[in-house]
Amino acid sequence: MEECCSTKPKKEHNHNHEDHDHDHGHSHDTEGKSAFQMFLPAIISFALLLLGIILDHVVKPGWFSGWIRPVWYSVVYLPVGLPVLKEAFESIKNGDIFSEFFLMGIATVGAFAIGEYPEGVAVMLFYSVGEVFQAMAVTRAQTNIKTLLDQRPDEVTVIREGKPQTIKAEQVNIGDIIQLKSGEKLGLDGELLSETASFNTAALTGESKPDTKTKGTAVLAGMINLNTVSQVKVTAAYKDSKLSRILEMVQNATAQKAPTELFIRKFAKVYTPIVVFLAIGITLLPYLFVEHYEFRDWLYRALVFLVISCPCALVISIPLGYFGGIGAGSRNGILFKGSNFLDVLATVRQVVMDKTGTLTEGVFKVQEVNFNNGFDKDELLKLVNALESKSSHPVATAIHEYVGEPDHSVKLENVEEVAGQGLKATVNGKELLVGNFRLMDTSGIRYDFNPENIVYTVIAVAYDQKFAGYLTIADEVKPDAKQTISQLQSLGVTATMLSGDKSSVVQHVAGILGIQNAYGDLLPEDKVNKVKEIKAKKQTVAFVGDGVNDAPVVALSDVGIAMGGLGSDATIETADVVIQDDRPGKIPMAINIGKQTKRIVWQNIFLAFVVKAIVLILGAGGLATMWEAVFADVGVALLAILNAVRIQRMKF
């Protein structure tokens, strides 16, 4: 039988909650504040600065001179400058001397020292405005991700002693029965007790199309009941619900930094002290080479250089770009375990896919039963059904649906699963074999026809060392599978299908979907060898599966994508990327989100470096003033933020 399912064995996901993020916009001071409160210091400074400039250049009163002018601008500076100077002092205390707060502190205090009061205030004012915008953008990105997934209601209605009671969701016990009215959202995972109910699963899968569930099926926290009053038996505690775990996973995703992000952080740590020493050089070295050296002029150039050099446009816009990518994925029912996987997906050139449950529905139906004369069909089906009850494979489910509930009076001994082949057991002292024809061959069972002539999946049965016959089972191709392959090809990605199912079935499905590279009759080790062959071409490989059985294959891939993440707890734990519904169309979407995120991140890097480099050269040459420096720092940072936020609005 096909080893149909797979996810990646757990990589070393670093889910610590240590805050390595650059502390922008004094975000810990801004939590819970309104936009007006956050901008109030800047508004006060701006109004007073404007008044000072009018007094300086328009009204020109006699009293606005001497000590009054510097005192005025000092008062104007304090609302925006004091928090930044405090941050600089805190950073120095913590051993981080060359922070951007330190750069801004030196630049603005230096401007005051040479009498450039309005410019010193303006630099700090615009810098603070930029920091507030940055803090708001980051908070919004994080909030978007959280509110997108944190769909759990705080209270639920439970039936106790025959009466409905409204209690806190955290207080509900496993086994309690929840009553769910039309339009209400389910608070905990459970099992549907009502005969049928329709649910909106958009919170979990990104799909708003109603999903009809039947009695006994699993329903999950976050699903909205659409029509009649339904009853659900709770199967997991509030904190253990699938939605809780997904929420935690996405929040932790920001701790998994992409290589670009890690590089920029390291770069900033080296870059900033270099900038400070270069500024000192710009101030002092010309003394040795310039005939009419003017300390004040060269100090001004050095201060302009410091303002331009501030790396905040890079340090904030890049994490924000990755936040946006993670949020865009979550909104579409795709969960990325870390921003590093967005980067990997952007470079994927090969997608290796399992067949069953990934490209096909994984819902098999028995088409025909063809047993040889001399065997009691009903008796043999009873034995086959009993043996298949020991397997969780979709084929087993198809046989159960066809035959009915397994007969537990059947005594099975020495039950053994043969990897990639099927099941064997001893019944009534005789050997029973149920699996593919490889199992028949390895067990020395003879048969007199070519199974390759049958297109459908064939389950062969042997009893008492004799070939008894076979069942044919068919699986349907998923509606969007063909379009998925076409979209992957348009992205320049090659699709390969690997399957333990027989080659005729695999080639039939590959023909329908337009997949050139498809291989059937594969044992788990054969799949490993195929992936090794692909990896040998030095291409980035993603593996897509829907369970945990193909761990060796997934271990070889650069990124493991799990299909049907809602159906498997192990999948959520171990996959790098989880597609929350069973739609293969989300595979090219995930790759596209990775590509768009990487594009935006590199646009921001290029924008910041080019603009800063131009203005730095102008500043060092004395051709740029503090006003150009403000644009090179705050202006570029704001443009980068707007560009990074753009991904959250993209349609994929």
Side-chain angles (χ1 to χ4, degrees), residues 381-404:
L381 279 175
K382 183 172 77 171
L383 299 183
V384 169
N385 195 26
L387 180 55
E388 285 291 347
S389 69
K390 305 298 180 187
S391 170
S392 59
H393 194 280
V395 164
T397 308
I399 292 171
H400 299 332
E401 283 185 4
Y402 183 77
V403 181

Side-chain angles (χ1 to χ4, degrees), residues 207-455:
E207 294 298 316
S208 56
K209 190 172 75 172
D211 187 359
T212 302
K213 304 286 185 185
T214 54
K215 184 175 181 176
T217 55
V219 285
L220 303 170
M223 291 182 173
I224 301 170
N225 186 24
L226 292 177
N227 39 34
T228 55
V229 176
S230 305
Q231 291 195 341
V232 175
K233 183 180 177 183
V234 176
T235 55
Y238 182 74
K239 63 179 173 45
D240 297 326
S241 73
K242 196 67 61 72
L243 192 62
S244 300
R245 293 167 69 188
I246 290 169
L247 174 62
E248 184 184 357
M249 190 195 82
V250 175
Q251 287 173 321
N252 287 343
T254 54
Q256 285 283 98
K257 306 296 181 193
T260 315
E261 200 174 342
L262 292 171
F263 169 76
I264 289 297
R265 290 185 181 285
K266 288 176 186 171
F267 172 80
K269 283 186 185 296
V270 176
Y271 165 86
T272 312
I274 289 172
V275 162
V276 171
F277 289 117
L278 282 174
I280 294 168
I282 289 169
T283 308
L284 303 177
L285 288 178
Y287 177 75
L288 305 173
F289 306 104
V290 177
E291 190 176 346
H292 301 293
Y293 173 76
E294 188 71 47
F295 174 77
R296 185 185 178 283
D297 288 348
W298 288 101
L299 176 60
Y300 181 77
R301 292 185 191 188
L303 297 175
V304 169
F305 180 84
L306 279 179
V307 174
I308 298 163
S309 303
C310 184
C312 59
L314 292 171
V315 174
I316 195 64
S317 69
I318 290 167
L320 192 57
Y322 286 112
F323 282 156
I326 291 168
S330 301
R331 193 165 58 249
N332 288 287
I334 304 166
L335 303 182
F336 297 98
K337 282 281 184 81
S339 50
N340 49 333
F341 298 119
L342 281 163
D343 264 9
V344 176
L345 278 171
T347 61
V348 161
R349 287 289 166 268
Q350 287 271 359
V351 173
V352 180
M353 286 178 276
D354 199 20
K355 178 178 74 70
T356 308
T358 300
L359 293 170
T360 62
E361 295 286 1
V363 181
F364 288 86
K365 285 189 169 48
V366 172
Q367 304 298 311
E368 63 172 324
V369 178
N370 194 328
F371 286 159
N372 296 340
N373 293 332
F375 289 93
D376 183 328
K377 178 182 172 182
D378 293 336
E379 182 63 25
L380 198 52
L381 279 175
K382 183 172 77 171
L383 299 183
V384 169
N385 195 26
L387 180 55
E388 285 291 347
S389 69
K390 305 298 180 187
S391 170
S392 59
H393 194 280
V395 164
T397 308
I399 292 171
H400 299 332
E401 283 185 4
Y402 183 77
V403 181
E405 280 297 309
D407 186 342
H408 297 294
S409 67
V410 175
K411 295 276 194 298
L412 296 170
E413 296 172 344
N414 308 319
V415 177
E416 181 188 346
E417 183 162 357
V418 183
Q421 295 185 18
L423 298 163
K424 59 167 65 174
T426 305
V427 187
N428 305 323
K430 297 171 185 174
E431 187 177 57
L432 175 66
L433 303 173
V434 181
N436 55 31
F437 280 88
R438 281 201 308 274
L439 182 63
M440 301 296 113
D441 295 338
T442 56
S443 304
I445 305 296
R446 303 171 73 86
Y447 46 91
D448 57 2
F449 67 99
N450 184 1
E452 289 302 317
N453 294 332
I454 305 168
V455 173

Side-chain angles (χ1 to χ4, degrees), residues 16-23 27 257 265:
N16 62 49
H17 294 273
E18 208 175 317
D19 183 14
H20 297 297
D21 284 340
H22 197 74
D23 187 12
S27 56
K257 306 296 181 193
R265 290 185 181 285

Side-chain angles (χ1 to χ4, degrees), residues 478-497:
K478 289 183 179 175
D480 62 336
K482 188 171 183 178
Q483 187 185 358
T484 297
I485 303 305
S486 174
Q487 287 173 335
L488 287 173
Q489 288 166 350
S490 68
L491 289 168
V493 178
T494 304
T496 301
M497 185 165 69

